[in-house]
Amino acid sequence: MGRLKEFELQEALGKAMNVFWKKGYDKTSLKDLLTEMDILNGSFYNTFGNKKSLFLKTLEFYGEEITAKRANHLTTNESFKVGIRSLFEDVFKCFSDKKTPRGCLLVNSLSSELLKDQEVLNFVQTEIANFEEFFFIQLEQAVDSGELDKSINPKLTASILVTYIQGLMKLSSLEISSSKLEKQTSHFLEVIGL
Amino acid sequence: MGRLKEFELQEALGKAMNVFWKKGYDKTSLKDLLTEMDILNGSFYNTFGNKKSLFLKTLEFYGEEITAKRANHLTTNESFKVGIRSLFEDVFKCFSDKKTPRGCLLVNSLSSELLKDQEVLNFVQTEIANFEEFFFIQLEQAVDSGELDKSINPKLTASILVTYIQGLMKLSSLEISSSKLEKQTSHFLEVIGL
DNA sequence: GATTTACTTGAGTGATTGCTCAAATATATA
DNA sequence: TATATATTTGAGCAATCACTCAAGTAAATC
């Protein structure tokens, strides 16, 4: 059965994700990745194929580890209003956390050139669409149950939320004051009726 | 007084901006720039110093050429409501225009690594702050004149607008359907009372 | 213990990166 | 027309890029 792997795949993937998150895809060199993942050239290409292929795997990892956990705030809390605030609280907590890179992997690491790659573009589009769909379902439930006002349009509100969050992630990577973003978000939620 | 320049500075700057806009800072090579600007190595370094210095100049150029013209929609139209819709119309027109790169130069070209450069970060932060301040002033006027409801908070609304627009730019670079973004934006404006 | 198989190691690939520099060229002034 | 000065030209720099490959090593199976 041959020699055993000397590193844990999930652990290495997590470390790679952090590098891409912090430096962006283009500015992350193989040397950066190998150093952080603590493996050598051969092991890398043997396991992950190439840089882009690893990147796609870290996008998947991000979806499972980060986005999914954030979505949980909506499903585990008793109401949408409480849940969505809990979700944003989590986002802002990450902004202050020095260990977590600011912003969102999707926002930070994707260059225009990289998005010309159909495989990457498709993956990201799907990820965004899923996130929006998730919001939509949660919003619809909250409207149907009477928690939220009937005047709220779940479809459009879901897409507005996604757009706003993308902007928030961008601004946070511009080192805009976290408390400023927190205040405006709180106001934003009230104004759109959530 | 020596030999004359064989290219127009503003024209070359505009061409450079388009390359950065389309490919992002990192993925734009000097070869890309020289080809598009139609000048040679020496002329480049003689005139612009280096790649980063040119980039900062194109950011300035973008502020004057693109952002300023968009701001005009608010000052030349008779009301804020009409003006802001005219501004967004302009943005969406650019999304459909094949010649203009999708999204915003600031959103597309800035990598996390580049933002670690204090000069770049400061410039972008100021640009964003100015844009927000402009919205604030226009909103305040519209509220004072009675065009907009007194319940509208000009400061917070201005920052929400900036965040939303940043998100819109990001999503447009992800090739999200322009008509979808147009519909949700129209709804967004109504919901926040504009 | 021999063989097979998978992983690790590290030197090395050609291509590309941003940038330098000396020589050639063109223009305004003396 | 001669001189001073600014721009253009293109070869070439060291560094870095993603990636390859052959040799070495460790484990499972026979």
Side-chain angles (χ1 to χ4, degrees):
Chain A
M1 277 286 187
R3 188 170 171 176
L4 300 181
K5 268 198 167 54
E6 291 185 359
F7 63 94
E8 258 194 72
L9 208 136
Q10 295 297 308
E11 194 187 327
L13 218 48
K15 285 174 176 173
M17 176 187 73
N18 279 322
V19 185
F20 283 131
W21 198 346
K22 202 158 58 184
K23 310 192 80 171
Y25 180 82
D26 294 328
K27 271 291 172 184
T28 298
S29 70
L30 241 94
K31 205 181 152 217
D32 292 332
L33 289 168
L34 298 183
T35 302
E36 188 61 32
M37 298 166 88
D38 200 25
I39 59 177
L40 289 174
N41 227 315
S43 303
F44 180 91
Y45 283 96
N46 194 9
T47 309
F48 301 105
N50 55 40
K51 187 184 170 187
K52 201 195 85 180
S53 162
L54 167 68
F55 178 68
L56 284 168
K57 288 194 181 82
T58 66
L59 283 186
E60 234 171 306
F61 190 84
Y62 182 82
E64 293 158 8
E65 288 292 311
I66 311 291
T67 311
K69 275 181 187 160
R70 285 198 176 143
N72 277 345
H73 287 280
L74 278 180
T75 47
T76 57
N77 277 286
E78 64 279 5
S79 78
F80 188 92
K81 288 191 180 191
V82 171
I84 192 75
R85 277 165 181 80
S86 167
L87 187 155
F88 275 111
E89 223 170 85
D90 186 37
V91 169
F92 289 118
K93 207 171 66 195
C94 283
F95 287 176
S96 346
D97 182 17
K98 298 280 179 197
K99 269 178 284 179
T100 314
R102 279 210 156 203
C104 157
L105 177 62
L106 263 52
V107 174
N108 287 10
S109 63
L110 299 169
S111 67
S112 335
E113 279 291 294
L114 187 56
L115 286 171
K116 286 182 188 141
D117 183 297
Q118 268 301 321
E119 208 178 343
V120 174
L121 182 63
N122 286 342
F123 191 95
V124 175
Q125 284 179 336
T126 306
E127 197 88 339
I128 296 279
N130 287 344
F131 199 42
E132 187 172 325
E133 176 72 11
F134 172 76
F135 274 142
F136 167 63
I137 290 168
Q138 298 295 317
L139 279 162
E140 206 177 32
Q141 275 181 15
V143 170
D144 285 350
S145 76
E147 187 212 329
L148 294 177
D149 198 281
K150 295 278 178 221
S151 68
I152 284 176
N153 182 321
K155 206 102 203 170
L156 291 170
T157 306
S159 58
I160 287 171
L161 268 175
V162 168
T163 303
Y164 181 83
I165 289 172
Q166 293 287 309
L168 208 58
M169 294 300 184
K170 186 74 207 179
L171 289 179
S172 96
S173 79
L174 298 180
E175 306 276 2
I176 307 289
S177 143
S178 188
S179 75
K180 176 183 184 307
L181 295 177
E182 217 167 335
K183 269 178 213 152
Q184 78 167 66
T185 298
S186 165
H187 187 251
F188 168 73
L189 289 174
E190 275 179 45
V191 166
I192 67 170
L194 303 183
Chain B
M1 275 291 184
R3 188 171 173 174
L4 301 178
K5 267 198 166 55
E6 293 185 1
F7 63 95
E8 258 192 74
L9 209 136
Q10 295 298 309
E11 194 188 326
L13 219 48
K15 285 174 177 173
M17 176 186 75
N18 279 322
V19 185
F20 283 131
W21 197 346
K22 201 158 59 183
K23 310 190 80 170
Y25 180 82
D26 295 328
K27 271 292 171 183
T28 297
S29 71
L30 241 93
K31 204 180 153 219
D32 292 332
L33 290 168
L34 298 182
T35 302
E36 187 61 31
M37 299 165 87
D38 199 26
I39 60 177
L40 288 175
N41 228 314
S43 303
F44 181 90
Y45 284 96
N46 194 11
T47 309
F48 301 105
N50 55 42
K51 186 184 171 187
K52 201 196 86 182
S53 163
L54 168 69
F55 179 67
L56 284 169
K57 289 194 181 80
T58 65
L59 283 187
E60 234 170 305
F61 190 84
Y62 182 82
E64 293 158 8
E65 289 292 310
I66 310 292
T67 312
K69 275 181 188 163
R70 283 194 177 147
N72 278 344
H73 287 281
L74 278 181
T75 47
T76 58
N77 276 286
E78 63 278 5
S79 78
F80 188 93
K81 287 191 179 189
V82 171
I84 191 78
R85 277 166 182 79
S86 168
L87 187 155
F88 275 111
E89 224 169 83
D90 187 36
V91 169
F92 289 118
K93 207 171 65 194
C94 283
F95 287 176
S96 342
D97 181 17
K98 297 281 178 195
K99 270 179 283 180
T100 315
R102 279 211 157 203
C104 159
L105 177 63
L106 265 52
V107 174
N108 287 11
S109 62
L110 299 168
S111 67
S112 335
E113 278 291 293
L114 188 57
L115 286 170
K116 284 180 189 145
D117 183 298
Q118 268 300 319
E119 211 177 342
V120 174
L121 182 62
N122 286 342
F123 190 95
V124 176
Q125 283 179 337
T126 306
E127 197 87 340
I128 296 279
N130 287 343
F131 199 42
E132 186 172 325
E133 176 70 10
F134 172 76
F135 274 142
F136 167 63
I137 291 169
Q138 298 296 319
L139 279 163
E140 207 178 29
Q141 275 180 16
V143 170
D144 285 349
S145 75
E147 188 211 327
L148 295 178
D149 199 282
K150 295 277 178 225
S151 69
I152 284 176
N153 182 321
K155 206 102 203 167
L156 290 171
T157 306
S159 57
I160 287 170
L161 269 175
V162 169
T163 304
Y164 181 83
I165 288 173
Q166 292 287 310
L168 208 58
M169 293 300 182
K170 185 75 207 178
L171 289 179
S172 96
S173 79
L174 298 182
E175 307 275 0
I176 307 290
S177 145
S178 188
S179 73
K180 176 183 185 305
L181 295 176
E182 219 166 334
K183 268 178 214 151
Q184 81 167 63
T185 299
S186 164
H187 187 252
F188 168 73
L189 289 173
E190 275 179 45
V191 166
I192 66 171
L194 302 183

